[in-house]
Amino acid sequence: MERLQKVIAQAGIASRRKAEELIKDGRVKVNGKVVTELGVKVTSSDKIEVNEIQIEKEEPVYFLLYKPRGVISSVSDDKGRKVVTDFFSNYQERIFPVGRLDYDTSGLLLLTNDGEFANLLTHPSNEVEKLYVAKVKGIPLRENLRKLEKGIRLEDGKTAPAKVKMLSGDKKKQTAIVEISIHEGRNRQVRRMFEAIGHEVVKLKRERYGFLTLGGLKAGEARELTPHEVKQLRALASDKSKKNS
Ligand code: URA
């Protein structure tokens, strides 16, 4: 038995909150009857319709992809560019990325067909820590890296404290490699943080997402998460929301 709004969210139709609104608005039917209460529980044999269309229940699946550069973090692209779900074309499930990496960013990206799981991980109060390695133009001064650590003002507000570590600097080529961990997920955040201290990011890779790493994967390769990893990710995100509330 699962709560109706959870089943709708898991089918990838809407976030749990939106599913609750759909129910309250009378747009959800269970076995042919409109249900407007939120507490209702359903089983896998119940017929659920949203806006008169029966939802397809899929077994939840969870993947970790090493996204290469030059791929869009989306399920389709109107310009016909490669998208992350192209790596899963032999799966029937309607999977989508959990959050996004820029077109030119490579690294660890999660994908799932479980809308509730995706919402939990990407909700601003639950965002798990992500570690990036950036190659930047010029060699940042320690004091500027400190600014990133403390939080820096961007056009959409000050960033939360970050962990920053200079890995190497090439004086001849005037480039540096810097590791940065953040737990927010704003649009182009790492690139904008470095821009704010005067260093353009020329290469960016996400190496870690919470406790998950790329392991031995090569760019373009993916693996399924283990049930234990999925559980751990859920616990990590829920823990954060408790701490933040
Ligand atoms: N920060 C960025 O600037 N780009 C990404 O893809 C991820 C984090």
Side-chain angles (χ1 to χ4, degrees):
M1 295 280 266
E2 295 273 25
R3 274 187 298 160
L4 184 54
Q5 54 267 43
K6 185 171 175 186
V7 174
I8 295 171
Q10 269 177 346
I13 291 172
S15 67
R16 200 187 306 189
R17 191 141 28 94
K18 289 245 173 70
E20 289 176 355
E21 280 168 23
L22 288 169
I23 296 169
K24 283 196 253 172
D25 290 347
R27 288 158 68 186
V28 177
K29 282 184 188 168
V30 178
N31 302 325
K33 278 198 195 129
V34 173
V35 169
T36 51
E37 282 161 53
L38 291 182
V40 172
K41 292 202 169 170
V42 288
T43 67
S44 55
S45 57
D46 287 318
K47 179 181 160 198
I48 299 158
E49 289 163 277
V50 175
N51 293 330
E52 308 291 335
I53 296 168
Q54 188 171 349
I55 68 167
E56 279 178 50
K57 284 170 241 161
E58 287 179 351
E59 279 302 307
V61 287
Y62 308 89
F63 296 99
L64 185 166
L65 170 70
Y66 182 164
K67 175 194 169 301
R69 297 168 75 179
V71 180
I72 309 259
S73 294
S74 177
V75 295
S76 64
D77 181 53
D78 49 14
K79 295 190 189 121
R81 290 170 295 183
K82 202 172 175 67
V83 293
V84 287
T85 47
D86 289 345
F87 294 99
F88 301 88
S89 49
N90 51 343
Y91 286 88
Q92 298 294 310
E93 290 86 354
R94 289 166 302 171
I95 59 169
F96 52 86
V98 177
R100 57 189 295 281
L101 289 177
D102 298 335
Y103 182 71
D104 279 330
T105 302
S106 65
L108 198 162
L109 184 68
L110 299 180
L111 293 103
T112 183
N113 59 348
D114 182 341
E116 203 197 7
F117 176 80
N119 280 327
L120 179 70
L121 289 185
T122 52
H123 191 277
S125 60
N126 303 355
E127 290 260 11
V128 296
E129 190 169 78
K130 285 146 292 209
L131 180 120
Y132 296 86
V133 175
K135 181 177 181 184
V136 301
K137 272 193 189 162
I139 302 190
L141 294 173
R142 239 187 121 69
E143 66 209 59
N144 281 336
L145 293 181
R146 276 291 295 153
K147 286 184 193 161
L148 298 187
E149 279 178 340
K150 284 203 260 172
I152 192 156
R153 200 158 296 285
L154 300 178
E155 61 201 19
D156 51 356
K158 194 175 173 192
T159 60
K163 289 181 205 147
V164 183
K165 194 166 149 194
M166 177 89 159
L167 295 185
S168 63
D170 186 328
K171 279 195 184 142
K172 248 198 202 150
K173 290 191 183 145
Q174 277 300 300
T175 56
I177 309 285
V178 187
E179 199 178 80
I180 178 163
S181 293
I182 59 171
H183 59 78
E184 295 166 296
R186 301 193 217 166
N187 194 25
R188 296 178 70 80
Q189 181 165 345
V190 173
R191 291 175 197 272
R192 290 191 291 132
M193 286 172 79
F194 279 103
E195 262 162 38
I197 57 161
H199 294 276
E200 187 192 338
V201 171
V202 288
K203 235 180 183 181
L204 187 62
K205 180 178 176 190
R206 180 149 81 191
E207 297 227 323
R208 199 184 314 142
Y209 187 100
F211 56 88
L212 291 171
T213 63
L214 288 165
L217 293 180
K218 297 194 184 82
E221 288 182 345
R223 71 165 176 90
E224 250 188 276
L225 294 180
T226 66
H228 186 66
E229 286 170 333
V230 174
K231 233 180 178 176
Q232 273 183 291
L233 282 170
R234 279 214 176 89
L236 193 62
S238 319
D239 254 16
K240 290 215 177 239
S241 56
K242 267 184 229 135
K243 260 183 223 153
N244 295 332
S245 63

